[in-house]
Amino acid sequence: CRSVIFLCFLISLLPEQQLAMQTAVSSETSRITSNSITSIKHSKHLIVSAFIDHRINKAIRVISIIRRDSLQPFYCIYCNDDNNCQTAEAEVQIHVDHFGFPFGASDVLCHGAHTQSATRVAISTSAKISEIHNEDFLPIKNEKTHESFMFNFTVCISSLFDSYNNVLQFAQTVEIYKLLGVQHIVIYNTSCGPDLEKLLQHYKREGILEIVPWPIDHFLNPSKGWDFMYHGGEIQYYGQLVTLNECIYRNMYQSKYVLLNDIDEIIMPYKHANLQLLMEELQQQHKDMGVFFIESHFFPKTQFEESGRFSRPEWRNIPGVNIMEHIYREPDRKDLDNPRKMIINPRTVVQTSVHYVPQKYGDVFFVPFDVCRIVHVRSPRQGTLTKDQLVVDKRVWDFASELISNIDKTLQASGLMEITD
Ligand SMILES: *[C@@H]1O[C@H](CO)[C@@H](O)[C@H](O)[C@H]1NC(C)=O
Ligand SMILES: *[C@@H]1O[C@H](CO)[C@@H](O)[C@H](O)[C@H]1NC(C)=O
């Protein structure tokens, strides 16, 4: 192959001058991967996806997972559709929240000429462009900005793992979100239980759910928690921060707003019928704000509503928590903030964490608890409280009639409930 010989000649001539070098490469020498996670050759580090960042001079941002104690120089090799490739030394930004784990969510940034016309990029530990045929290239997304979006509301759910099989709560959550105006849900799937698998397949067929394969356990020993000292492992919570950031860039020009919450949380407007009306009002009042914090409130799954009206026999064999039976909310604790999740305008966010946004352009707004809060049905945090010390909160019931029939249809279409009538 002539181009390779030509390259070797160039490199032997100019050993120190490869930075920002431009060259033509035959197309068959570079592979474009469709995998969600890719190793950087000859290193422990991983790369995930690449995006043009229009806000920083159209640099290429590669969402990455960097081993913090083995930081080394990286080089970007980026090419356009005519196979013109450039190399540039990469800038590495490790996110501040790594919770002590050896691997941390990171951005590898490629600055240089013509990044905006690049369509693929590889991250290499070597500046030698002669190595190009050994590299795995990532396709570069977000090549164009958009002013109008395919979706108004997208929910990003990070890392689904183990044999999580909480079908009823997930179906209820998705069906409530649909009634609230969510049109798109992205979930990062490492693994799940057999019944949830059927439900996910159904929602994927229906089109509301985008499932991103997330085989992080093939690359690292992921932690089941967020605290390295306590949970061990190589990366926090199956790479939760990596997936949240990936999801923001994935939806930057697809969705007007992105909701960042866990699989068992619902960001619930209490004064508006849906998310559209909520955000119209909030954004009207707070024009420059791009991050809206929502307080999470615990509804213990150990306390059941007395009448039993939603304890439906049809759902008896469906695994998981029936959130409609749990309407008792834990009160605020003295001197302790409730955890927060977020609704964001993704175009204002640079880097996110789970409960706050460390790098952004706009301002943040703390949405009052009575306007919007998170319904989080789970094991109790204040487990000693009795029913009369909890607060009755029946917001979920407002959706009951439509919700129940939608859930039944969904469970039937998923093959999880018999079709009767
Ligand atoms: C998104 O919201 C706008 C109003 O802001 C509305 O006109 C449009 O129909 C909505 N798009 C979708 C896909 O629902
Ligand atoms: C989730 O990932 C597991 C493990 O790769 C796979 O077996 C399963 O089919 C995936 N589920 C969906 C709905 O994509």
Side-chain angles (χ1 to χ4, degrees):
C1 166
R2 259 190 300 139
S3 67
V4 171
I5 294 167
F6 168 70
L7 275 174
C8 291
F9 173 63
L10 242 185
I11 281 154
S12 60
L13 254 179
L14 300 166
E16 303 302 326
Q17 308 253 316
Q18 291 107 13
L19 293 190
M21 183 174 69
Q22 183 172 350
T23 188
V25 179
S26 65
S27 56
E28 64 271 29
T29 59
S30 68
R31 297 183 295 267
I32 300 186
T33 177
S34 58
N35 296 339
S36 312
I37 306 176
T38 304
S39 294
I40 299 181
K41 293 266 155 62
H42 316 297
S43 85
K44 297 169 176 163
H45 314 287
L46 306 169
I47 50 176
V48 177
S49 359
F51 302 92
I52 299 287
D53 194 329
H54 296 270
R55 304 161 306 178
I56 49 168
N57 208 15
K58 300 184 197 296
I60 302 164
R61 179 183 299 272
V62 183
I63 307 287
S64 306
I65 303 174
I66 299 293
R67 183 159 175 118
R68 296 186 296 118
D69 67 3
S70 314
L71 202 52
Q72 61 192 101
F74 295 116
Y75 301 89
C76 303
I77 307 170
Y78 55 93
C79 309
N80 67 13
D81 280 336
D82 297 329
N83 296 312
N84 280 318
C85 298
Q86 318 243 351
T87 60
E89 197 166 341
E91 177 196 349
V92 180
Q93 297 178 348
I94 299 178
H95 293 206
V96 289
D97 279 341
H98 46 67
F99 307 97
F101 288 95
F103 285 83
S106 306
D107 295 294
V108 174
L109 296 171
C110 309
H111 305 277
H114 312 302
T115 48
Q116 77 274 17
S117 52
T119 54
R120 62 187 194 273
V121 62
I123 303 299
S124 174
T125 53
S126 155
K128 291 202 182 98
I129 210 162
S130 62
E131 301 287 319
I132 198 164
H133 52 278
N134 288 323
E135 300 293 346
D136 289 323
F137 280 79
L138 303 183
I140 300 175
K141 301 176 213 169
N142 292 355
E143 302 224 279
K144 289 202 170 61
T145 62
H146 296 279
E147 298 293 317
S148 63
F149 309 104
M150 203 182 325
F151 310 112
N152 285 332
F153 295 97
T154 292
V155 180
C156 291
I157 296 174
S158 59
S159 39
L160 179 62
F161 57 88
D162 268 359
S163 45
Y164 190 83
N165 205 35
N166 189 350
V167 172
L168 195 50
Q169 186 166 7
F170 187 65
Q172 291 175 332
T173 300
V174 173
E175 297 304 327
I176 289 177
Y177 263 142
K178 279 196 215 163
L179 295 175
L180 289 174
V182 167
Q183 299 129 340
H184 183 217
I185 299 174
V186 183
I187 199 163
Y188 293 77
N189 169 34
T190 303
S191 63
C192 67
D195 303 286
L196 191 65
E197 170 77 17
K198 291 183 187 167
L199 185 64
L200 295 179
Q201 295 293 357
H202 163 75
Y203 280 132
K204 186 175 160 184
R205 281 193 301 276
E206 192 182 78
I208 191 169
L209 185 64
E210 179 177 358
I211 301 173
V212 182
W214 189 247
I216 186 78
D217 52 342
H218 297 190
F219 295 86
L220 301 176
N221 168 24
S223 177
K224 291 186 181 9
W226 59 270
D227 183 346
F228 176 60
M229 299 304 282
Y230 183 71
H231 298 102
E234 291 184 299
I235 188 163
Q236 172 253 5
Y237 239 142
Y238 282 72
Q240 180 186 28
L241 275 192
V242 184
T243 55
L244 288 180
N245 281 280
E246 209 272 348
C247 200
I248 288 176
Y249 283 89
R250 179 181 286 259
N251 288 292
M252 195 163 275
Y253 300 105
Q254 275 209 99
S255 192
K256 187 166 183 192
Y257 294 105
V258 171
L259 284 63
L260 304 177
N261 61 254
D262 285 346
I263 193 162
D264 54 359
E265 293 175 320
I266 302 169
I267 295 183
M268 178 69 86
Y270 274 71
K271 296 207 159 151
H272 302 83
N274 55 46
L275 291 163
Q276 183 78 36
L277 295 170
L278 168 74
M279 291 315 293
E280 269 170 23
E281 182 167 330
L282 289 181
Q283 200 75 79
Q284 187 76 33
Q285 291 164 354
H286 311 282
K287 290 210 166 45
D288 299 328
M289 296 190 182
V291 174
F292 297 85
F293 286 112
I294 318 287
E295 286 181 17
S296 185
H297 288 265
F298 283 29
F299 291 64
K301 64 180 180 186
T302 46
Q303 299 285 6
F304 288 79
E305 180 272 319
E306 300 288 340
S307 78
R309 76 180 77 174
F310 294 112
S311 165
R312 303 176 66 243
E314 294 88 337
W315 293 348
R316 205 154 284 158
N317 296 323
I318 308 296
V321 175
N322 178 359
I323 66 170
M324 302 187 78
E325 292 186 281
H326 305 290
I327 50 148
Y328 292 96
R329 168 162 56 77
E330 292 187 352
D332 288 345
R333 291 162 301 168
K334 206 165 173 280
D335 306 324
L336 273 176
D337 280 345
N338 295 300
R340 298 185 190 95
K341 295 296 172 63
M342 298 173 277
I343 300 177
I344 60 164
N345 166 349
R347 294 158 301 284
T348 69
V349 171
V350 181
Q351 286 182 3
T352 194
S353 185
V354 183
H355 304 289
Y356 75 110
V357 176
Q359 270 195 47
K360 60 191 177 308
Y361 294 104
D363 283 327
V364 306
F365 180 67
F366 293 84
V367 180
F369 149 94
D370 59 331
V371 173
C372 182
R373 57 182 176 261
I374 295 178
V375 174
H376 191 179
V377 179
R378 48 156 291 160
S379 42
R381 177 181 287 150
Q382 304 173 58
T384 57
L385 296 188
T386 58
K387 237 178 213 176
D388 52 345
Q389 294 170 301
L390 300 168
V391 185
V392 174
D393 183 336
K394 298 181 187 165
R395 175 68 170 123
V396 166
W397 288 6
D398 295 346
F399 301 86
S401 58
E402 227 180 324
L403 185 60
I404 289 172
S405 92
N406 292 352
I407 293 167
D408 284 355
K409 282 184 207 137
T410 292
L411 294 173
Q412 288 167 347
S414 310
L416 291 162
M417 196 170 107
E418 272 179 41
I419 300 171
T420 51
D421 69 1

